[in-house]
Each structure stands twice: as C-alpha cells, then as structure tokens.
Amino acid sequence: MCGIWAFLGLNAGNYVVKLAPWLIHRGQEGVSFVCHVDGSLVRLSDVSTISSTLCLGHARYSTSGPYGVELQPIVLGNDFALVFNGTISNYVELISKLRDFGIGIRTNYDALVLAHYMRELLSRRGIDDGISELFHTLRGGYSIIAIWRDSLIVIRDPWGIRPLVIGSDGNGIAIASESAALEALGMTWREVEPGKALALHGSGREHWVEGPRVRRAYCALEYIYFLRPDSHFNGISVYDARRKLGMVLAHKEGNHDIDIVTPVPETARIAAEAYAEGIGKPIHELIIKNRYVGRSFIKPPRERSVNMYNVIRDIVKGRSISLVDDSIIRGDTFRKVLPRFRRSGTRAIHVRVSSPPIRYPCFMGMDFPTRRELVAHGRSIDEVRGYLGADSLVYLTVDELMDSIGTTELCTACFTGNYPFTINIDESEKAFSGDRVWESQAL
Ligand SMILES: O=P(O)(O)OC[C@H]1O[C@H](OP(=O)(O)OP(=O)(O)O)[C@H](O)[C@@H]1O
Ligand SMILES: NC(=O)CC[C@H](N)C(=O)O
Ligand code: SF4
Ligand SMILES: [Mg+2]
C-alpha cells in the first residue's frame, strides 16, 4: 500500500515535504516527489525549497513491477505525472488496449501501464470522457493523483477500496491517502467519495466526474493493519475499530489460565489493550521491536528475514502468555517471536488474532499475490497453530470483523476468496508473481 499526497498552492514543495513523515508507514521503499516548475515536471527527492505551486509526493510499498522508490511518481513527457496507491488488477488487459492505441509496452509494472493508459485517454477523449472511460475499464483498488497539463486530477476507485482525503489550511488544497496526515498539519479534511474524480484546473475552475455505482468494498486490512490509528476511513475511526476488534476477541476468550497479555508491536497494541481490559488480565510490553527498522510485513522479500524482535525473558519465564497480533499473513512475525518465548521458558503461549485467517491473495493494493505464501491457505486453524508452535490459537470470524468495524461494506476477499469484481485467481497470481525485477521498457 503506498502513501500518496499532493499540494496545490504557494510553497507546495514545502508542504509535500512536511506531509511525508505522516504517510511513510504506507511505503518504506522510499519517498519521492514531482513538482510543476516553469511549465516542466521536475522529479526530485527533496523539494522543500523549490518554487512551485503544485507538487505530488509518494511513499512506495510496491505490489507490482520492480521494487524500489524510483518508479513513482511516474512522469511522461512534460504534461503528465501520476502517483498511485493500489493495484490495477487488470493491467495485462490494459496493455492490449494500449496496443490498440498504437502504444507497445512490455512491463509487469501496473503503475506504468496505468500512467500510459490514463494519459492516452485524457489526450484522446478529454478530461470528462477520459476519466469516465478510465472508471469503466479499470479493475482494482486505486487512489490516483495526477497532473495533466495545467490540471490536477484526483480519483478514488468506485469500490472505495483505498482511502483518499482532500483538505485545506486556507493556503491551498492538500490531498493525501490518510486523514491523520492532514490533521497533523492543522488542516480540515473530507474523504473523496468512492467512484468520484475531481479535476482542478489552472484557471481555478474545478469539476467532478462520476464513475459507475458499484457495491462498496472498503479494504478490511486497512482498518486492521494498514492505516494509522488516528486516521478515519469511510467515516469510521480506525482507533475505534481496532478497540472493538480487541473487545470481540476478549468476548471469545475461553481460557482462564492466562497470566499476562502482550501485544505484538506495533499495530496490535490498541486491540491488545481492549482485549486485556475485556478479560481482566494485565497487559505488559514483553516483545520489544527494534524501532528503527519499520514495518516488517511490507518489506521487500530479501529484507524480511531479518529479526527485529526480542522478549523480556525474566518475565515470560514460567508464565502463561496471551500474544495478541492484528493479523497473521505469511506468518513471518510469529516464526520469529514464538521460539524466543519457548527458549525463555514460557509455560504456555496463546496466540490471539484480531482478524480472520488470511487464505486468499490480494490483487488490490497489498503485496501478497499468491496463495502459497499465506500461512493459513489450505490449513485449518489448528494446523496453523501447530505450524506456528502455539499452545492455542484464536482468530475472529468474518462476521465478528464486520460487527467490530461497524459495516458490511468491506472487501473481505483475502479472508473469503470473494473479490469485489470478477477475478481469475490463477491468472492474477501469474500476472503479479512474475519476476519483480524485470526492467520496465516502453517500446
Ligand atoms: O504474519 P506476517 O506475515 O508476519 O504479517 C502480519 C504481521 O505484519 C504486520 O506487522 P509489521 O511488522 O509489518 O508492522 P507493525 O510494526 O505496524 O505491526 C502485522 O501487524 C502483523 O504483525
Ligand atoms: N502499494 C501500492 O499502492 C503500490 C502501487 C503500485 N502498484 C506500485 O507497485 O508501485
Ligand atoms: S483482499 Fe484483503 S487486503 Fe486486499 S483489498 Fe481486500 S481486504 Fe484489503
Ligand atoms: Mg505487526
């Protein structure tokens, strides 16, 4: 999941630099910017002192194409730049559409295909019809901020899979993936509605374009893990949602032999606190995560194996501990954490998860595009417990997830295999799990 943001107004470079730290939890591969300067688009890693009234920022967590920061923002010629959060599930189909437009492109990078496709539609059909066609032909989770000639275009997918907010501090207009970023800079904000696109023109005129009306499918994993807890998504506080997830976990607790609850840092803390309150047990930080290494799940594969956890051995020894995490995806975290508890002489290890088992891949903005990498795929809950080496394991159900978040308008595809739109899992696995270092090459 990437972080995207933009500022339209005086000192735009300074604004986008200030917004960056509030969005880098969404992408750790690096941050990059593009600014409109004297009629040209300039791509830079530091724009704080640049004189510009329109800049875009991007923090990348790649789901497609080569890993690394240098691949967004995408700039095409002097008239088009794009930052994008999500995954274009049908990018292979768009490559054929581009071929019909006379553009040959050979890549496995969805954002590059999207950029060429969007620019082509805008230049051939104009802004309104171009965006409308984009809405009708893209499948996936996507929030997009693009510069097209002297206009800024902001788009949120019709399912509402990915978040996007727009706001202001009176000096200009800011757009960002998350509300917390705009609040941090003292701005007021509102969400861009799903299936809506805003075009802000150089003349100061603005207008909206509407996409198709489809069933809303807000990404459940955004609430569970991805968003900052001080953000709101579709009118729901992420903090509240995580507390409720923890409370429901507490209601399900049937084990009375628990001495201490400990969160698996960082994201699980809020759910773990609510769970500990609910079962009336003390909560202690017994897993110490190296705070300088960032999030582990979103790291590129070669960086994932590094251990970043230690435990407070003297306290866990001889005790029965309930470890609360927000999710188990590839199982990397528990594979690192659990043996440390065992070696320290923990009497019993109970794993509690504030979400359901993740059994299906995501092709809409998270980087787990294959069934084989998911620890719960093809395994019962008891088999996952045995595989991880826990004494007990409790997850939430999908109904409990929806009750806790307070809406049924969720994408739950990674739990259920029911995607918001028709998707061929075998084909999609091939499209997204190919060689991720294949060089992009526009012909
Ligand atoms: O089963 P896994 O494949 O390990 O994935 C799930 C884990 O990854 C995430 O933590 P992460 O370290 O990315 O971020 P956090 O510090 O915000 O919890 C998530 O919060 C789980 O702890
Ligand atoms: N996580 C994301 O939003 C990724 C955006 C885009 N698919 C990329 O790989 O750069
Ligand atoms: S499949 Fe899972 S991670 Fe992907 S969009 Fe749906 S809920 Fe989010
Ligand atoms: Mg975590």
PDB file of all heavy atoms in Angstrom, residues 1-2 58 60-64 72 84-87 109-111 365, ligand 2:
ATOM      1  N   MET A   1       0.839  -1.173   0.000  1.00  0.00           N
ATOM      2  CA  MET A   1       0.000   0.000   0.000  1.00  0.00           C
ATOM      3  C   MET A   1       0.866   1.210   0.000  1.00  0.00           C
ATOM      4  O   MET A   1       1.686   1.356   0.868  1.00  0.00           O
ATOM      5  CB  MET A   1      -0.775   0.007   1.294  1.00  0.00           C
ATOM      6  CG  MET A   1      -1.914   0.902   1.260  1.00  0.00           C
ATOM      7  SD  MET A   1      -2.993   0.322   0.087  1.00  0.00           S
ATOM      8  CE  MET A   1      -2.864  -1.380   0.295  1.00  0.00           C
ATOM      9  N   CYS A   2       0.709   2.066  -0.923  1.00  0.00           N
ATOM     10  CA  CYS A   2       1.562   3.246  -0.929  1.00  0.00           C
ATOM     11  C   CYS A   2       0.865   4.387  -0.209  1.00  0.00           C
ATOM     12  O   CYS A   2      -0.337   4.351   0.022  1.00  0.00           O
ATOM     13  CB  CYS A   2       1.842   3.692  -2.357  1.00  0.00           C
ATOM     14  SG  CYS A   2       2.654   2.431  -3.338  1.00  0.00           S
ATOM     15  N   HIS A  58       5.071  10.673  -2.965  1.00  0.00           N
ATOM     16  CA  HIS A  58       4.765   9.250  -2.998  1.00  0.00           C
ATOM     17  C   HIS A  58       5.709   8.471  -2.098  1.00  0.00           C
ATOM     18  O   HIS A  58       6.921   8.677  -2.122  1.00  0.00           O
ATOM     19  CB  HIS A  58       4.908   8.740  -4.439  1.00  0.00           C
ATOM     20  CG  HIS A  58       4.438   7.337  -4.606  1.00  0.00           C
ATOM     21  ND1 HIS A  58       5.294   6.273  -4.592  1.00  0.00           N
ATOM     22  CD2 HIS A  58       3.194   6.836  -4.757  1.00  0.00           C
ATOM     23  CE1 HIS A  58       4.580   5.157  -4.745  1.00  0.00           C
ATOM     24  NE2 HIS A  58       3.305   5.470  -4.847  1.00  0.00           N
ATOM     25  N   ARG A  60       6.571   4.530  -1.472  1.00  0.00           N
ATOM     26  CA  ARG A  60       6.228   3.305  -2.197  1.00  0.00           C
ATOM     27  C   ARG A  60       6.339   2.036  -1.366  1.00  0.00           C
ATOM     28  O   ARG A  60       7.324   1.805  -0.674  1.00  0.00           O
ATOM     29  CB  ARG A  60       7.109   3.166  -3.446  1.00  0.00           C
ATOM     30  CG  ARG A  60       6.671   2.008  -4.337  1.00  0.00           C
ATOM     31  CD  ARG A  60       7.095   2.196  -5.778  1.00  0.00           C
ATOM     32  NE  ARG A  60       6.526   1.155  -6.620  1.00  0.00           N
ATOM     33  CZ  ARG A  60       7.214   0.146  -7.159  1.00  0.00           C
ATOM     34  NH1 ARG A  60       8.510   0.076  -6.976  1.00  0.00           N
ATOM     35  NH2 ARG A  60       6.604  -0.770  -7.876  1.00  0.00           N
ATOM     36  N   TYR A  61       5.292   1.232  -1.443  1.00  0.00           N
ATOM     37  CA  TYR A  61       5.263  -0.173  -0.992  1.00  0.00           C
ATOM     38  C   TYR A  61       4.817  -0.913  -2.244  1.00  0.00           C
ATOM     39  O   TYR A  61       3.643  -0.910  -2.596  1.00  0.00           O
ATOM     40  CB  TYR A  61       4.277  -0.328   0.156  1.00  0.00           C
ATOM     41  CG  TYR A  61       3.709  -1.717   0.373  1.00  0.00           C
ATOM     42  CD1 TYR A  61       4.519  -2.855   0.329  1.00  0.00           C
ATOM     43  CD2 TYR A  61       2.356  -1.893   0.641  1.00  0.00           C
ATOM     44  CE1 TYR A  61       3.979  -4.115   0.545  1.00  0.00           C
ATOM     45  CE2 TYR A  61       1.818  -3.155   0.866  1.00  0.00           C
ATOM     46  CZ  TYR A  61       2.632  -4.261   0.809  1.00  0.00           C
ATOM     47  OH  TYR A  61       2.105  -5.503   1.025  1.00  0.00           O
ATOM     48  N   SER A  62       5.748  -1.477  -2.962  1.00  0.00           N
ATOM     49  CA  SER A  62       5.408  -1.960  -4.296  1.00  0.00           C
ATOM     50  C   SER A  62       4.585  -3.248  -4.245  1.00  0.00           C
ATOM     51  O   SER A  62       4.793  -4.109  -3.393  1.00  0.00           O
ATOM     52  CB  SER A  62       6.676  -2.160  -5.117  1.00  0.00           C
ATOM     53  OG  SER A  62       7.533  -3.055  -4.469  1.00  0.00           O
ATOM     54  N   THR A  63       3.640  -3.324  -5.162  1.00  0.00           N
ATOM     55  CA  THR A  63       2.832  -4.536  -5.316  1.00  0.00           C
ATOM     56  C   THR A  63       3.017  -5.122  -6.700  1.00  0.00           C
ATOM     57  O   THR A  63       2.413  -6.141  -7.031  1.00  0.00           O
ATOM     58  CB  THR A  63       1.337  -4.223  -5.126  1.00  0.00           C
ATOM     59  OG1 THR A  63       0.925  -3.321  -6.154  1.00  0.00           O
ATOM     60  CG2 THR A  63       1.055  -3.624  -3.766  1.00  0.00           C
ATOM     61  N   SER A  64       3.811  -4.456  -7.522  1.00  0.00           N
ATOM     62  CA  SER A  64       3.897  -4.826  -8.932  1.00  0.00           C
ATOM     63  C   SER A  64       5.181  -4.227  -9.490  1.00  0.00           C
ATOM     64  O   SER A  64       5.674  -3.218  -8.973  1.00  0.00           O
ATOM     65  CB  SER A  64       2.650  -4.238  -9.606  1.00  0.00           C
ATOM     66  OG  SER A  64       2.800  -4.137 -10.981  1.00  0.00           O
ATOM     67  N   GLN A  72       8.001   5.667  -8.807  1.00  0.00           N
ATOM     68  CA  GLN A  72       6.895   6.623  -8.706  1.00  0.00           C
ATOM     69  C   GLN A  72       7.453   7.884  -8.071  1.00  0.00           C
ATOM     70  O   GLN A  72       8.375   7.774  -7.260  1.00  0.00           O
ATOM     71  CB  GLN A  72       5.760   6.056  -7.843  1.00  0.00           C
ATOM     72  CG  GLN A  72       4.876   5.082  -8.602  1.00  0.00           C
ATOM     73  CD  GLN A  72       3.438   5.082  -8.071  1.00  0.00           C
ATOM     74  OE1 GLN A  72       2.838   6.144  -7.890  1.00  0.00           O
ATOM     75  NE2 GLN A  72       2.891   3.904  -7.853  1.00  0.00           N
ATOM     76  N   PHE A  84       0.150   6.890  -7.351  1.00  0.00           N
ATOM     77  CA  PHE A  84      -0.944   5.920  -7.341  1.00  0.00           C
ATOM     78  C   PHE A  84      -0.779   4.975  -6.160  1.00  0.00           C
ATOM     79  O   PHE A  84       0.308   4.481  -5.890  1.00  0.00           O
ATOM     80  CB  PHE A  84      -0.906   5.199  -8.701  1.00  0.00           C
ATOM     81  CG  PHE A  84      -1.414   3.803  -8.747  1.00  0.00           C
ATOM     82  CD1 PHE A  84      -2.685   3.491  -8.289  1.00  0.00           C
ATOM     83  CD2 PHE A  84      -0.635   2.790  -9.285  1.00  0.00           C
ATOM     84  CE1 PHE A  84      -3.154   2.194  -8.349  1.00  0.00           C
ATOM     85  CE2 PHE A  84      -1.089   1.489  -9.359  1.00  0.00           C
ATOM     86  CZ  PHE A  84      -2.361   1.192  -8.867  1.00  0.00           C
ATOM     87  N   ASN A  85      -1.890   4.765  -5.444  1.00  0.00           N
ATOM     88  CA  ASN A  85      -1.929   3.776  -4.361  1.00  0.00           C
ATOM     89  C   ASN A  85      -2.929   2.699  -4.745  1.00  0.00           C
ATOM     90  O   ASN A  85      -4.084   2.997  -5.019  1.00  0.00           O
ATOM     91  CB  ASN A  85      -2.374   4.464  -3.060  1.00  0.00           C
ATOM     92  CG  ASN A  85      -2.727   3.478  -1.953  1.00  0.00           C
ATOM     93  OD1 ASN A  85      -3.578   3.779  -1.117  1.00  0.00           O
ATOM     94  ND2 ASN A  85      -2.109   2.329  -1.925  1.00  0.00           N
ATOM     95  N   GLY A  86      -2.471   1.471  -4.744  1.00  0.00           N
ATOM     96  CA  GLY A  86      -3.370   0.364  -5.058  1.00  0.00           C
ATOM     97  C   GLY A  86      -2.712  -0.605  -6.019  1.00  0.00           C
ATOM     98  O   GLY A  86      -1.484  -0.624  -6.165  1.00  0.00           O
ATOM     99  N   THR A  87      -3.529  -1.423  -6.626  1.00  0.00           N
ATOM    100  CA  THR A  87      -3.043  -2.331  -7.668  1.00  0.00           C
ATOM    101  C   THR A  87      -4.092  -2.353  -8.774  1.00  0.00           C
ATOM    102  O   THR A  87      -5.291  -2.438  -8.487  1.00  0.00           O
ATOM    103  CB  THR A  87      -2.853  -3.765  -7.113  1.00  0.00           C
ATOM    104  OG1 THR A  87      -1.872  -3.735  -6.076  1.00  0.00           O
ATOM    105  CG2 THR A  87      -2.376  -4.726  -8.199  1.00  0.00           C
ATOM    106  N   TYR A 109       4.717  -3.847 -14.542  1.00  0.00           N
ATOM    107  CA  TYR A 109       4.519  -2.796 -13.562  1.00  0.00           C
ATOM    108  C   TYR A 109       3.192  -2.076 -13.831  1.00  0.00           C
ATOM    109  O   TYR A 109       3.070  -1.317 -14.795  1.00  0.00           O
ATOM    110  CB  TYR A 109       5.711  -1.833 -13.625  1.00  0.00           C
ATOM    111  CG  TYR A 109       5.668  -0.723 -12.616  1.00  0.00           C
ATOM    112  CD1 TYR A 109       5.043  -0.902 -11.387  1.00  0.00           C
ATOM    113  CD2 TYR A 109       6.248   0.508 -12.877  1.00  0.00           C
ATOM    114  CE1 TYR A 109       5.006   0.119 -10.456  1.00  0.00           C
ATOM    115  CE2 TYR A 109       6.226   1.529 -11.958  1.00  0.00           C
ATOM    116  CZ  TYR A 109       5.596   1.325 -10.744  1.00  0.00           C
ATOM    117  OH  TYR A 109       5.552   2.335  -9.827  1.00  0.00           O
ATOM    118  N   ASP A 110       2.208  -2.324 -12.939  1.00  0.00           N
ATOM    119  CA  ASP A 110       0.853  -1.800 -13.165  1.00  0.00           C
ATOM    120  C   ASP A 110       0.797  -0.279 -13.276  1.00  0.00           C
ATOM    121  O   ASP A 110       0.055   0.269 -14.084  1.00  0.00           O
ATOM    122  CB  ASP A 110      -0.117  -2.313 -12.076  1.00  0.00           C
ATOM    123  CG  ASP A 110       0.219  -1.821 -10.664  1.00  0.00           C
ATOM    124  OD1 ASP A 110       1.339  -1.306 -10.454  1.00  0.00           O
ATOM    125  OD2 ASP A 110      -0.642  -1.971  -9.769  1.00  0.00           O
ATOM    126  N   ALA A 111       1.605   0.432 -12.462  1.00  0.00           N
ATOM    127  CA  ALA A 111       1.524   1.893 -12.444  1.00  0.00           C
ATOM    128  C   ALA A 111       1.993   2.496 -13.774  1.00  0.00           C
ATOM    129  O   ALA A 111       1.465   3.521 -14.222  1.00  0.00           O
ATOM    130  CB  ALA A 111       2.355   2.450 -11.295  1.00  0.00           C
ATOM    131  N   GLY A 365      -3.847  -3.955  -3.923  1.00  0.00           N
ATOM    132  CA  GLY A 365      -3.049  -2.947  -3.214  1.00  0.00           C
ATOM    133  C   GLY A 365      -2.143  -3.475  -2.125  1.00  0.00           C
ATOM    134  O   GLY A 365      -1.382  -2.711  -1.544  1.00  0.00           O
TER     135      GLY A 365
HETATM  136  N1  LIG B   2       1.037  -0.369  -2.629  1.00  0.00           N
HETATM  137  C1  LIG B   2       0.754   0.381  -3.630  1.00  0.00           C
HETATM  138  O1  LIG B   2      -0.099   1.239  -3.581  1.00  0.00           O
HETATM  139  C2  LIG B   2       1.528   0.078  -4.870  1.00  0.00           C
HETATM  140  C3  LIG B   2       1.257   0.951  -6.064  1.00  0.00           C
HETATM  141  C4  LIG B   2       1.758   0.310  -7.342  1.00  0.00           C
HETATM  142  N2  LIG B   2       1.021  -0.901  -7.615  1.00  0.00           N
HETATM  143  C5  LIG B   2       3.244   0.050  -7.245  1.00  0.00           C
HETATM  144  O2  LIG B   2       3.645  -1.100  -7.162  1.00  0.00           O
HETATM  145  O3  LIG B   2       4.004   0.989  -7.202  1.00  0.00           O
END
